[in-house]
Short mmCIF file of all heavy atoms in Angstrom, two decimals:
data_model
loop_
_atom_site.label_atom_id
_atom_site.label_comp_id
_atom_site.label_asym_id
_atom_site.label_seq_id
_atom_site.Cartn_x
_atom_site.Cartn_y
_atom_site.Cartn_z
N MET W 814 11.50 -10.87 -4.19
CA MET W 814 10.58 -12.02 -4.20
C MET W 814 9.15 -11.33 -4.09
O MET W 814 8.84 -10.57 -3.28
CB MET W 814 10.94 -12.89 -2.93
CG MET W 814 9.84 -13.94 -2.79
SD MET W 814 9.71 -14.52 -1.16
CE MET W 814 10.76 -15.71 -0.83
N THR W 815 8.32 -11.86 -5.07
CA THR W 815 7.01 -11.46 -5.03
C THR W 815 6.09 -12.61 -4.63
O THR W 815 6.26 -13.76 -5.12
CB THR W 815 6.57 -10.90 -6.45
OG1 THR W 815 7.40 -9.86 -6.81
CG2 THR W 815 5.06 -10.52 -6.49
N GLN W 816 5.07 -12.33 -3.77
CA GLN W 816 4.19 -13.34 -3.37
C GLN W 816 2.77 -12.84 -3.56
O GLN W 816 2.49 -11.68 -3.17
CB GLN W 816 4.28 -13.69 -1.86
CG GLN W 816 5.57 -14.39 -1.60
CD GLN W 816 5.75 -14.79 -0.03
OE1 GLN W 816 5.06 -14.15 0.73
NE2 GLN W 816 6.46 -15.87 0.07
N LYS W 817 1.87 -13.61 -4.17
CA LYS W 817 0.52 -13.15 -4.32
C LYS W 817 -0.20 -13.28 -2.97
O LYS W 817 -0.02 -14.23 -2.26
CB LYS W 817 -0.11 -14.13 -5.27
CG LYS W 817 -1.60 -13.74 -5.64
CD LYS W 817 -2.25 -14.71 -6.65
CE LYS W 817 -3.56 -14.33 -6.86
NZ LYS W 817 -4.28 -15.10 -7.86
N LEU W 818 -0.93 -12.23 -2.67
CA LEU W 818 -1.70 -12.19 -1.45
C LEU W 818 -3.20 -12.15 -1.70
O LEU W 818 -3.58 -11.15 -2.39
CB LEU W 818 -1.34 -10.94 -0.57
CG LEU W 818 -2.16 -10.61 0.66
CD1 LEU W 818 -1.93 -11.83 1.65
CD2 LEU W 818 -1.76 -9.28 1.22
N GLU W 819 -3.90 -13.07 -1.28
CA GLU W 819 -5.35 -13.10 -1.46
C GLU W 819 -5.94 -12.06 -0.46
O GLU W 819 -5.43 -11.82 0.65
CB GLU W 819 -5.94 -14.43 -1.14
CG GLU W 819 -5.48 -15.51 -1.96
CD GLU W 819 -5.98 -15.34 -3.48
OE1 GLU W 819 -7.02 -14.78 -3.69
OE2 GLU W 819 -5.20 -15.77 -4.40
N LEU W 820 -7.00 -11.30 -0.95
CA LEU W 820 -7.56 -10.28 -0.12
C LEU W 820 -8.03 -10.71 1.34
O LEU W 820 -7.96 -10.05 2.34
CB LEU W 820 -8.78 -9.58 -0.76
CG LEU W 820 -8.38 -8.68 -1.92
CD1 LEU W 820 -9.62 -7.99 -2.51
CD2 LEU W 820 -7.45 -7.57 -1.38
N SER W 821 -8.34 -12.07 1.35
CA SER W 821 -8.84 -12.60 2.67
C SER W 821 -7.62 -12.57 3.62
O SER W 821 -7.88 -12.56 4.87
CB SER W 821 -9.37 -14.04 2.45
OG SER W 821 -8.31 -14.87 2.01
N GLY W 822 -6.45 -12.57 3.16
CA GLY W 822 -5.31 -12.55 4.09
C GLY W 822 -4.80 -11.12 4.40
O GLY W 822 -3.92 -11.01 5.28
N LEU W 823 -5.47 -10.12 3.79
CA LEU W 823 -4.99 -8.73 4.04
C LEU W 823 -5.08 -8.26 5.49
O LEU W 823 -4.09 -7.72 6.01
CB LEU W 823 -5.73 -7.79 3.12
CG LEU W 823 -5.20 -6.34 3.13
CD1 LEU W 823 -3.81 -6.30 2.76
CD2 LEU W 823 -6.11 -5.63 2.28
N PRO W 824 -6.20 -8.63 6.21
CA PRO W 824 -6.24 -8.13 7.64
C PRO W 824 -5.07 -8.72 8.47
O PRO W 824 -4.52 -8.01 9.30
CB PRO W 824 -7.54 -8.73 8.15
CG PRO W 824 -8.42 -8.82 6.87
CD PRO W 824 -7.43 -9.16 5.71
N ASP W 825 -4.71 -9.95 8.20
CA ASP W 825 -3.63 -10.61 8.94
C ASP W 825 -2.29 -9.92 8.66
O ASP W 825 -1.51 -9.67 9.55
CB ASP W 825 -3.50 -12.03 8.65
CG ASP W 825 -4.66 -12.92 9.11
OD1 ASP W 825 -5.27 -12.46 10.15
OD2 ASP W 825 -5.03 -13.95 8.55
N ARG W 826 -2.08 -9.57 7.44
CA ARG W 826 -0.87 -8.88 7.06
C ARG W 826 -0.71 -7.47 7.61
O ARG W 826 0.31 -7.07 8.04
CB ARG W 826 -0.68 -8.76 5.54
CG ARG W 826 -0.42 -10.16 4.90
CD ARG W 826 0.87 -10.74 5.38
NE ARG W 826 1.01 -11.95 4.59
CZ ARG W 826 1.89 -12.89 5.03
NH1 ARG W 826 2.68 -12.71 6.10
NH2 ARG W 826 2.01 -13.99 4.35
N ILE W 827 -1.90 -6.78 7.67
CA ILE W 827 -1.91 -5.43 8.25
C ILE W 827 -1.64 -5.51 9.70
O ILE W 827 -0.93 -4.71 10.29
CB ILE W 827 -3.26 -4.70 7.98
CG1 ILE W 827 -3.34 -4.34 6.46
CG2 ILE W 827 -3.31 -3.47 8.82
CD1 ILE W 827 -4.67 -3.74 6.12
N ARG W 828 -2.18 -6.60 10.48
CA ARG W 828 -1.82 -6.75 11.88
C ARG W 828 -0.35 -7.07 11.96
O ARG W 828 0.22 -6.72 12.84
CB ARG W 828 -2.71 -7.87 12.40
CG ARG W 828 -4.17 -7.31 12.80
CD ARG W 828 -4.86 -8.40 13.61
NE ARG W 828 -5.31 -9.59 12.85
CZ ARG W 828 -6.30 -9.66 12.08
NH1 ARG W 828 -7.13 -8.66 11.95
NH2 ARG W 828 -6.60 -10.74 11.34
N GLU W 829 0.16 -7.91 11.13
CA GLU W 829 1.60 -8.30 11.23
C GLU W 829 2.53 -7.17 10.93
O GLU W 829 3.48 -7.03 11.61
CB GLU W 829 1.78 -9.44 10.16
CG GLU W 829 3.24 -10.02 10.18
CD GLU W 829 3.41 -11.02 9.12
OE1 GLU W 829 2.42 -11.53 8.41
OE2 GLU W 829 4.58 -11.56 9.05
N TYR W 830 2.24 -6.38 9.90
CA TYR W 830 3.23 -5.36 9.50
C TYR W 830 2.89 -3.93 9.96
O TYR W 830 3.67 -3.08 9.94
CB TYR W 830 3.37 -5.35 7.97
CG TYR W 830 4.10 -6.43 7.31
CD1 TYR W 830 3.60 -7.59 7.14
CD2 TYR W 830 5.49 -6.25 7.15
CE1 TYR W 830 4.35 -8.71 6.53
CE2 TYR W 830 6.33 -7.33 6.72
CZ TYR W 830 5.74 -8.51 6.36
OH TYR W 830 6.48 -9.49 5.84
N GLY W 831 1.68 -3.77 10.43
CA GLY W 831 1.22 -2.52 10.95
C GLY W 831 0.50 -1.62 9.88
O GLY W 831 0.45 -2.12 8.80
N ARG W 832 0.00 -0.53 10.28
CA ARG W 832 -0.82 0.34 9.33
C ARG W 832 0.09 1.07 8.44
O ARG W 832 -0.30 1.62 7.32
CB ARG W 832 -1.66 1.31 10.15
CG ARG W 832 -2.78 0.61 10.88
CD ARG W 832 -3.56 1.62 11.72
NE ARG W 832 -4.12 2.58 10.83
CZ ARG W 832 -4.24 3.97 11.04
NH1 ARG W 832 -3.80 4.43 12.11
NH2 ARG W 832 -4.79 4.75 10.18
N GLY W 833 1.43 1.33 8.81
CA GLY W 833 2.33 2.17 8.03
C GLY W 833 2.81 1.49 6.71
O GLY W 833 3.39 0.41 6.80
N ALA W 834 2.56 2.07 5.60
CA ALA W 834 2.81 1.54 4.28
C ALA W 834 3.39 2.68 3.39
O ALA W 834 3.20 3.84 3.72
CB ALA W 834 1.62 0.84 3.59
N CYS W 835 3.88 2.30 2.29
CA CYS W 835 4.27 3.25 1.24
C CYS W 835 3.18 3.14 0.09
O CYS W 835 2.97 2.06 -0.34
CB CYS W 835 5.67 2.92 0.69
SG CYS W 835 6.92 3.12 1.88
N LEU W 836 2.70 4.30 -0.36
CA LEU W 836 1.76 4.34 -1.42
C LEU W 836 2.60 4.85 -2.65
O LEU W 836 3.26 5.82 -2.65
CB LEU W 836 0.59 5.42 -1.17
CG LEU W 836 -0.18 5.73 -2.35
CD1 LEU W 836 -1.06 4.49 -2.82
CD2 LEU W 836 -1.13 6.98 -1.95
N VAL W 837 2.54 4.01 -3.73
CA VAL W 837 3.33 4.28 -4.97
C VAL W 837 2.31 4.55 -6.09
O VAL W 837 1.55 3.74 -6.39
CB VAL W 837 4.18 3.11 -5.39
CG1 VAL W 837 5.01 3.51 -6.59
CG2 VAL W 837 5.14 2.72 -4.21
N THR W 838 2.42 5.81 -6.63
CA THR W 838 1.63 6.17 -7.74
C THR W 838 2.56 6.53 -8.86
O THR W 838 3.69 6.75 -8.63
CB THR W 838 0.64 7.37 -7.45
OG1 THR W 838 1.42 8.51 -6.96
CG2 THR W 838 -0.28 6.97 -6.29
N VAL W 839 1.99 6.88 -10.03
CA VAL W 839 2.89 7.26 -11.22
C VAL W 839 2.29 8.67 -11.72
O VAL W 839 1.13 8.75 -11.99
CB VAL W 839 2.76 6.24 -12.27
CG1 VAL W 839 3.64 6.61 -13.50
CG2 VAL W 839 3.35 4.86 -11.74
N GLY W 840 3.29 9.61 -11.88
CA GLY W 840 2.96 10.82 -12.42
C GLY W 840 2.82 10.89 -13.87
O GLY W 840 3.16 9.91 -14.59
N ALA W 841 2.48 12.03 -14.38
CA ALA W 841 2.30 12.20 -15.88
C ALA W 841 3.64 11.92 -16.78
O ALA W 841 3.55 11.43 -17.86
CB ALA W 841 1.82 13.58 -16.21
N SER W 842 4.73 12.12 -16.09
CA SER W 842 5.98 11.87 -16.77
C SER W 842 6.46 10.44 -16.70
O SER W 842 7.44 10.05 -17.34
CB SER W 842 7.13 12.74 -16.02
OG SER W 842 7.36 12.24 -14.72
N GLY W 843 5.65 9.63 -15.94
CA GLY W 843 5.94 8.26 -15.81
C GLY W 843 6.97 7.90 -14.59
O GLY W 843 7.21 6.78 -14.40
N MET W 844 7.21 8.90 -13.90
CA MET W 844 8.07 8.76 -12.69
C MET W 844 7.16 8.35 -11.59
O MET W 844 6.14 8.84 -11.31
CB MET W 844 8.77 10.08 -12.34
CG MET W 844 9.80 10.48 -13.38
SD MET W 844 11.26 9.34 -13.58
CE MET W 844 11.90 9.53 -11.90
N PRO W 845 7.74 7.49 -10.69
CA PRO W 845 6.96 7.03 -9.48
C PRO W 845 6.91 8.19 -8.44
O PRO W 845 7.85 8.99 -8.32
CB PRO W 845 7.77 5.82 -9.00
CG PRO W 845 9.11 6.06 -9.47
CD PRO W 845 8.99 6.74 -10.80
N HIS W 846 5.89 8.18 -7.72
CA HIS W 846 5.74 9.10 -6.60
C HIS W 846 5.45 8.20 -5.31
O HIS W 846 4.48 7.45 -5.36
CB HIS W 846 4.61 10.03 -6.83
CG HIS W 846 4.28 11.04 -5.70
ND1 HIS W 846 5.08 12.06 -5.46
CD2 HIS W 846 3.21 11.12 -4.90
CE1 HIS W 846 4.56 12.68 -4.42
NE2 HIS W 846 3.47 12.13 -4.07
N VAL W 847 6.25 8.21 -4.32
CA VAL W 847 6.15 7.35 -3.20
C VAL W 847 6.10 8.22 -1.93
O VAL W 847 6.84 9.13 -1.68
CB VAL W 847 7.53 6.51 -3.08
CG1 VAL W 847 7.36 5.54 -1.90
CG2 VAL W 847 7.70 5.72 -4.34
N VAL W 848 5.03 7.87 -1.14
CA VAL W 848 4.74 8.62 0.16
C VAL W 848 4.42 7.57 1.21
O VAL W 848 3.85 6.49 0.85
CB VAL W 848 3.54 9.63 -0.08
CG1 VAL W 848 4.02 10.79 -0.98
CG2 VAL W 848 2.26 8.98 -0.52
N SER W 849 4.57 8.00 2.42
CA SER W 849 4.23 7.13 3.51
C SER W 849 2.73 7.43 3.87
O SER W 849 2.29 8.57 3.84
CB SER W 849 5.02 7.42 4.80
OG SER W 849 6.36 7.23 4.59
N VAL W 850 2.02 6.38 4.17
CA VAL W 850 0.57 6.48 4.55
C VAL W 850 0.19 5.47 5.59
O VAL W 850 0.94 4.58 5.99
CB VAL W 850 -0.30 6.15 3.20
CG1 VAL W 850 -0.14 7.11 2.17
CG2 VAL W 850 -0.12 4.75 2.73
N ALA W 851 -0.91 5.74 6.34
CA ALA W 851 -1.47 4.86 7.27
C ALA W 851 -2.66 4.19 6.57
O ALA W 851 -3.49 4.90 6.07
CB ALA W 851 -1.91 5.65 8.50
N VAL W 852 -2.74 2.89 6.61
CA VAL W 852 -3.85 2.08 5.95
C VAL W 852 -4.79 1.59 6.94
O VAL W 852 -4.42 1.12 8.02
CB VAL W 852 -3.10 0.95 5.12
CG1 VAL W 852 -4.21 0.08 4.46
CG2 VAL W 852 -2.16 1.44 4.13
N ASP W 853 -5.99 1.72 6.52
CA ASP W 853 -7.20 1.09 7.31
C ASP W 853 -7.91 0.13 6.50
O ASP W 853 -8.09 0.32 5.24
CB ASP W 853 -8.19 2.26 7.73
CG ASP W 853 -7.47 3.20 8.80
OD1 ASP W 853 -7.01 2.63 9.81
OD2 ASP W 853 -7.49 4.37 8.62
N TRP W 854 -8.39 -0.95 7.07
CA TRP W 854 -9.14 -2.06 6.41
C TRP W 854 -10.29 -2.27 7.34
O TRP W 854 -10.15 -2.66 8.45
CB TRP W 854 -8.35 -3.25 6.31
CG TRP W 854 -9.04 -4.49 5.77
CD1 TRP W 854 -9.38 -5.58 6.53
CD2 TRP W 854 -9.50 -4.70 4.44
NE1 TRP W 854 -10.05 -6.49 5.75
CE2 TRP W 854 -10.11 -6.02 4.46
CE3 TRP W 854 -9.36 -4.05 3.31
CZ2 TRP W 854 -10.65 -6.52 3.32
CZ3 TRP W 854 -9.92 -4.53 2.13
CH2 TRP W 854 -10.54 -5.85 2.22
N ASP W 855 -11.51 -2.07 6.82
CA ASP W 855 -12.76 -2.34 7.61
C ASP W 855 -13.49 -3.59 7.28
O ASP W 855 -14.58 -3.89 7.71
CB ASP W 855 -13.75 -1.17 7.47
CG ASP W 855 -14.40 -1.08 6.10
OD1 ASP W 855 -14.15 -1.96 5.24
OD2 ASP W 855 -15.11 -0.06 5.72
N GLY W 856 -12.77 -4.50 6.48
CA GLY W 856 -13.34 -5.85 6.14
C GLY W 856 -13.97 -5.74 4.75
O GLY W 856 -14.06 -6.83 4.12
N ALA W 857 -14.13 -4.60 4.22
CA ALA W 857 -14.60 -4.45 2.76
C ALA W 857 -13.86 -3.44 2.03
O ALA W 857 -13.79 -3.49 0.78
CB ALA W 857 -16.10 -4.15 2.89
N THR W 858 -13.22 -2.40 2.72
CA THR W 858 -12.63 -1.35 2.07
C THR W 858 -11.32 -1.07 2.55
O THR W 858 -11.08 -1.11 3.76
CB THR W 858 -13.50 -0.01 2.14
OG1 THR W 858 -14.79 -0.31 1.75
CG2 THR W 858 -12.89 1.05 1.47
N LEU W 859 -10.27 -0.86 1.69
CA LEU W 859 -8.97 -0.52 2.05
C LEU W 859 -8.90 1.02 1.89
O LEU W 859 -9.19 1.55 0.77
CB LEU W 859 -8.00 -1.14 1.19
CG LEU W 859 -6.47 -1.11 1.54
CD1 LEU W 859 -6.17 -1.79 2.78
CD2 LEU W 859 -5.74 -1.78 0.36
N ALA W 860 -8.52 1.81 2.93
CA ALA W 860 -8.51 3.27 2.78
C ALA W 860 -7.29 3.89 3.37
O ALA W 860 -6.63 3.26 4.27
CB ALA W 860 -9.83 3.81 3.59
N THR W 861 -6.91 5.00 2.84
CA THR W 861 -5.81 5.73 3.41
C THR W 861 -6.01 7.23 2.94
O THR W 861 -6.79 7.52 2.04
CB THR W 861 -4.51 5.22 2.78
OG1 THR W 861 -3.44 5.90 3.50
CG2 THR W 861 -4.37 5.49 1.32
N GLN W 862 -5.35 8.08 3.58
CA GLN W 862 -5.30 9.55 3.22
C GLN W 862 -4.31 9.63 2.24
O GLN W 862 -3.23 8.96 2.19
CB GLN W 862 -5.02 10.40 4.48
CG GLN W 862 -5.95 10.35 5.54
CD GLN W 862 -7.28 10.98 5.20
OE1 GLN W 862 -7.27 12.10 4.54
NE2 GLN W 862 -8.41 10.41 5.53
N ALA W 863 -4.42 10.63 1.28
CA ALA W 863 -3.44 10.86 0.29
C ALA W 863 -3.46 12.41 0.02
O ALA W 863 -4.34 13.05 -0.03
CB ALA W 863 -3.81 10.12 -1.00
N GLY W 864 -2.23 12.83 -0.32
CA GLY W 864 -1.98 14.26 -0.61
C GLY W 864 -2.37 14.56 -1.95
O GLY W 864 -2.83 13.75 -2.87
N ARG W 865 -2.20 15.84 -2.32
CA ARG W 865 -2.57 16.35 -3.67
C ARG W 865 -1.93 15.70 -4.78
O ARG W 865 -2.70 15.33 -5.73
CB ARG W 865 -2.33 17.87 -3.67
CG ARG W 865 -2.87 18.56 -4.92
CD ARG W 865 -2.40 19.99 -5.02
NE ARG W 865 -0.99 19.96 -5.47
CZ ARG W 865 0.00 20.65 -4.73
NH1 ARG W 865 -0.30 21.41 -3.81
NH2 ARG W 865 1.27 20.56 -5.23
N THR W 866 -0.68 15.49 -4.77
CA THR W 866 -0.01 14.89 -5.84
C THR W 866 -0.46 13.39 -6.04
O THR W 866 -0.68 12.97 -7.16
CB THR W 866 1.51 14.89 -5.68
OG1 THR W 866 1.93 16.30 -5.61
CG2 THR W 866 2.28 14.18 -6.88
N SER W 867 -0.52 12.70 -4.95
CA SER W 867 -0.97 11.34 -5.10
C SER W 867 -2.39 11.21 -5.59
O SER W 867 -2.72 10.34 -6.44
CB SER W 867 -0.94 10.59 -3.64
OG SER W 867 0.34 10.51 -3.20
N ARG W 868 -3.34 12.11 -5.11
CA ARG W 868 -4.64 12.09 -5.61
C ARG W 868 -4.78 12.45 -7.19
O ARG W 868 -5.52 11.74 -7.91
CB ARG W 868 -5.54 13.06 -4.79
CG ARG W 868 -5.77 12.61 -3.39
CD ARG W 868 -6.83 13.45 -2.66
NE ARG W 868 -6.74 14.84 -2.87
CZ ARG W 868 -6.16 15.71 -2.12
NH1 ARG W 868 -5.47 15.30 -1.05
NH2 ARG W 868 -6.03 16.94 -2.44
N THR W 869 -3.98 13.37 -7.52
CA THR W 869 -3.91 13.73 -8.99
C THR W 869 -3.43 12.58 -9.76
O THR W 869 -4.05 12.20 -10.80
CB THR W 869 -2.97 14.96 -9.13
OG1 THR W 869 -3.49 16.04 -8.51
CG2 THR W 869 -2.91 15.35 -10.69
N ASN W 870 -2.36 11.85 -9.32
CA ASN W 870 -1.91 10.72 -10.02
C ASN W 870 -2.94 9.57 -10.05
O ASN W 870 -3.08 9.02 -11.16
CB ASN W 870 -0.61 10.14 -9.31
CG ASN W 870 0.62 11.10 -9.50
OD1 ASN W 870 0.57 12.03 -10.40
ND2 ASN W 870 1.60 10.84 -8.88
N ILE W 871 -3.55 9.29 -9.02
CA ILE W 871 -4.64 8.31 -8.91
C ILE W 871 -5.70 8.59 -9.83
O ILE W 871 -6.33 7.62 -10.47
CB ILE W 871 -5.03 8.09 -7.52
CG1 ILE W 871 -3.90 7.47 -6.68
CG2 ILE W 871 -6.25 7.13 -7.43
CD1 ILE W 871 -4.15 7.44 -5.18
N ALA W 872 -6.22 9.89 -9.89
CA ALA W 872 -7.29 10.18 -10.79
C ALA W 872 -6.98 9.96 -12.29
O ALA W 872 -7.86 9.51 -12.99
CB ALA W 872 -7.68 11.72 -10.60
N ALA W 873 -5.80 10.20 -12.70
CA ALA W 873 -5.35 9.95 -14.03
C ALA W 873 -4.92 8.50 -14.33
O ALA W 873 -5.10 7.95 -15.31
CB ALA W 873 -4.14 10.84 -14.41
N ARG W 874 -4.28 7.84 -13.28
CA ARG W 874 -3.86 6.48 -13.43
C ARG W 874 -4.09 5.66 -12.14
O ARG W 874 -3.28 5.71 -11.21
CB ARG W 874 -2.24 6.46 -13.71
CG ARG W 874 -1.88 7.00 -15.10
CD ARG W 874 -0.46 7.45 -15.18
NE ARG W 874 -0.15 8.55 -14.21
CZ ARG W 874 -0.57 9.90 -14.51
NH1 ARG W 874 -1.26 10.19 -15.61
NH2 ARG W 874 -0.21 10.77 -13.63
N PRO W 875 -5.25 5.12 -12.10
CA PRO W 875 -5.74 4.53 -10.81
C PRO W 875 -4.97 3.29 -10.31
O PRO W 875 -5.21 2.85 -9.13
CB PRO W 875 -7.19 4.21 -11.11
CG PRO W 875 -7.31 4.08 -12.65
CD PRO W 875 -6.28 4.99 -13.10
N GLU W 876 -4.12 2.71 -11.10
CA GLU W 876 -3.41 1.49 -10.60
C GLU W 876 -2.35 2.08 -9.64
O GLU W 876 -1.58 2.89 -10.01
CB GLU W 876 -2.75 0.86 -11.68
CG GLU W 876 -3.62 0.16 -12.75
CD GLU W 876 -4.15 1.13 -13.77
OE1 GLU W 876 -3.64 2.26 -13.86
OE2 GLU W 876 -5.14 0.81 -14.44
N VAL W 877 -2.34 1.55 -8.47
CA VAL W 877 -1.38 1.90 -7.37
C VAL W 877 -0.74 0.79 -6.76
O VAL W 877 -1.29 -0.41 -6.91
CB VAL W 877 -2.03 2.82 -6.25
CG1 VAL W 877 -2.77 3.95 -6.85
CG2 VAL W 877 -3.00 1.98 -5.43
N THR W 878 0.24 0.94 -6.00
CA THR W 878 0.96 -0.06 -5.31
C THR W 878 1.09 0.34 -3.83
O THR W 878 1.33 1.43 -3.50
CB THR W 878 2.40 -0.37 -5.77
OG1 THR W 878 2.26 -0.84 -7.06
CG2 THR W 878 3.13 -1.34 -4.86
N LEU W 879 0.70 -0.60 -2.89
CA LEU W 879 1.01 -0.39 -1.48
C LEU W 879 2.07 -1.37 -1.10
O LEU W 879 2.00 -2.53 -1.34
CB LEU W 879 -0.31 -0.63 -0.61
CG LEU W 879 -1.36 0.41 -0.65
CD1 LEU W 879 -2.59 -0.14 0.00
CD2 LEU W 879 -0.85 1.69 0.01
N LEU W 880 3.14 -0.88 -0.37
CA LEU W 880 4.28 -1.64 0.00
C LEU W 880 4.46 -1.38 1.52
O LEU W 880 4.68 -0.24 1.91
CB LEU W 880 5.53 -1.26 -0.73
CG LEU W 880 6.75 -1.88 -0.29
CD1 LEU W 880 6.76 -3.39 -0.54
CD2 LEU W 880 8.00 -1.23 -0.99
N TRP W 881 4.39 -2.53 2.18
CA TRP W 881 4.70 -2.49 3.68
C TRP W 881 6.20 -2.74 3.76
O TRP W 881 6.65 -3.78 3.29
CB TRP W 881 3.96 -3.47 4.48
CG TRP W 881 2.51 -2.97 4.72
CD1 TRP W 881 2.14 -2.47 5.99
CD2 TRP W 881 1.45 -3.02 3.97
NE1 TRP W 881 0.82 -2.10 5.97
CE2 TRP W 881 0.36 -2.48 4.73
CE3 TRP W 881 1.10 -3.36 2.67
CZ2 TRP W 881 -0.99 -2.21 4.20
CZ3 TRP W 881 -0.14 -3.17 2.13
CH2 TRP W 881 -1.10 -2.74 2.89
N PRO W 882 6.98 -1.88 4.48
CA PRO W 882 8.42 -2.14 4.71
C PRO W 882 8.61 -3.39 5.35
O PRO W 882 7.85 -3.85 6.16
CB PRO W 882 8.85 -1.03 5.43
CG PRO W 882 7.92 0.15 5.14
CD PRO W 882 6.54 -0.60 4.99
N GLY W 883 9.75 -4.10 5.09
CA GLY W 883 10.08 -5.32 5.73
C GLY W 883 10.34 -5.12 7.20
O GLY W 883 10.88 -4.08 7.56
N ARG W 884 10.08 -6.10 8.03
CA ARG W 884 10.46 -6.01 9.44
C ARG W 884 11.94 -6.43 9.59
O ARG W 884 12.42 -7.20 8.83
CB ARG W 884 9.56 -6.92 10.25
CG ARG W 884 8.14 -6.59 10.21
CD ARG W 884 7.27 -7.59 11.07
NE ARG W 884 7.85 -8.85 11.25
CZ ARG W 884 7.25 -9.93 11.23
NH1 ARG W 884 5.97 -10.07 10.93
NH2 ARG W 884 7.90 -11.18 11.43
N PRO W 885 12.55 -5.97 10.59
CA PRO W 885 14.02 -6.31 10.72
C PRO W 885 14.23 -7.83 10.88
O PRO W 885 15.22 -8.33 10.44
CB PRO W 885 14.40 -5.63 12.06
CG PRO W 885 13.46 -4.44 12.17
CD PRO W 885 12.15 -5.07 11.59
N ASP W 886 13.27 -8.47 11.51
CA ASP W 886 13.48 -9.96 11.66
C ASP W 886 13.08 -10.85 10.48
O ASP W 886 13.49 -12.04 10.40
CB ASP W 886 12.63 -10.48 12.87
CG ASP W 886 11.16 -10.24 12.76
OD1 ASP W 886 10.78 -9.17 12.14
OD2 ASP W 886 10.26 -11.03 13.18
N VAL W 887 12.47 -10.24 9.52
CA VAL W 887 12.04 -11.00 8.31
C VAL W 887 12.80 -10.41 7.07
O VAL W 887 13.25 -11.21 6.23
CB VAL W 887 10.47 -10.77 8.01
CG1 VAL W 887 10.14 -11.49 6.76
CG2 VAL W 887 9.76 -11.31 9.17
N GLY W 888 12.95 -9.18 6.86
CA GLY W 888 13.65 -8.51 5.82
C GLY W 888 12.96 -8.27 4.53
O GLY W 888 13.46 -7.67 3.67
N TYR W 889 11.76 -8.84 4.36
CA TYR W 889 11.05 -8.66 3.14
C TYR W 889 9.76 -7.80 3.43
O TYR W 889 9.28 -7.84 4.47
CB TYR W 889 10.51 -10.08 2.60
CG TYR W 889 11.51 -10.95 2.04
CD1 TYR W 889 12.04 -12.03 2.78
CD2 TYR W 889 12.12 -10.67 0.86
CE1 TYR W 889 13.00 -12.84 2.21
CE2 TYR W 889 13.15 -11.43 0.31
CZ TYR W 889 13.58 -12.58 0.99
OH TYR W 889 14.48 -13.34 0.54
N GLY W 890 9.48 -6.98 2.47
CA GLY W 890 8.38 -6.11 2.50
C GLY W 890 7.06 -6.76 2.04
O GLY W 890 7.16 -7.86 1.48
#
């Protein structure tokens, strides 16, 4: 199930699900690269640390996905 999230609702979702998310990038071969990250939101900028492979993928293909794992009581990410 996909739901559109307006950026204005992002701080609430980070509070609800926590800072821990999965960063999904795509490598040169087209394969996804998924890593765990801690996400920060300062009201204007969404930021996280990224390793060498993630940074290389983002430099070449800047479209990324952030996925917060589902909570046990909800089940959806």
Side-chain angles (χ1 to χ4, degrees):
M814 173 205 272
T815 301
Q816 292 181 334
K817 184 177 179 179
L818 173 65
E819 298 296 329
L820 285 181
S821 63
L823 188 58
D825 292 334
R826 291 295 183 199
I827 292 174
R828 279 190 291 277
E829 180 180 359
Y830 284 88
R832 293 180 59 221
C835 295
L836 171 65
V837 183
T838 62
V839 178
S842 68
M844 294 295 295
H846 177 72
V847 182
V848 295
S849 297
V850 295
V852 177
D853 291 307
W854 173 255
D855 68 6
T858 304
L859 190 63
T861 189
Q862 297 290 318
R865 185 187 73 230
T866 299
S867 295
R868 290 191 319 266
T869 298
N870 290 348
I871 292 167
R874 289 160 298 284
E876 296 82 10
V877 303
T878 296
L879 283 170
L880 172 67
W881 277 262
R884 297 182 336 224
D886 60 325
V887 176
Y889 290 104

